[in-house]
Amino acid sequence: MISGFNTSVDFEGNEFHVQTEDLGPELGAFETTVFERGAVVAVKRSRYESAWVSEQGLDALAETIERQHRTVCAAILKGRLGELVRLQDRKSTRLNSSHLVIS
């Protein structure tokens, strides 16, 4: 399992906390959660196959996880968090193991 990333992002006087973590090979997914004042405002989950990790290695997985984290942080700084939230709302009907899945 890969260590996660945590970043505080300030945008127009609002502070967001962005947390990205590997959910482990048994789930084969990693997730970025955006918090504002302790409330979850957006979640992006991405899946990976264990075969891909075996072939590419843990460093490649760590880079992929970090790239998603940086992308979400950049979206907030560009004022595009609303787009991420709208994407979440459109895909909120897809559930897996009682977790919201955003691809």
Side-chain angles (χ1 to χ4, degrees):
M1 199 145 80
I2 305 293
S3 296
F5 300 92
N6 289 284
T7 304
S8 292
V9 180
D10 293 315
F11 178 72
E12 294 184 347
N14 297 309
E15 184 174 344
F16 299 93
H17 180 76
V18 182
Q19 178 180 346
T20 304
E21 60 186 331
D22 181 10
L23 301 177
E26 52 281 343
L27 289 178
F30 56 93
E31 185 173 88
T32 300
T33 307
V34 180
F35 300 90
E36 183 180 22
R37 294 186 204 101
V40 173
V41 294
V43 177
K44 178 169 178 54
R45 180 180 285 181
S46 298
R47 300 203 170 280
Y48 60 85
E49 299 291 327
S50 58
W52 180 86
V53 175
S54 294
E55 181 180 302
Q56 300 296 317
L58 288 177
D59 287 344
L61 177 59
E63 288 173 19
T64 302
I65 293 170
E66 184 176 9
R67 185 178 319 114
Q68 177 170 297
H69 183 82
R70 286 191 323 258
T71 299
V72 170
C73 290
I76 294 169
L77 289 170
K78 292 179 180 178
R80 298 179 64 191
L81 179 61
E83 292 175 34
L84 184 60
V85 171
R86 281 191 296 282
L87 176 64
Q88 175 180 326
D89 290 343
R90 278 186 286 171
K91 295 186 177 187
S92 65
T93 57
R94 290 177 32 195
L95 297 176
N96 181 4
S97 304
S98 74
H99 292 287
L100 179 63
V101 177
I102 308 296
S103 22

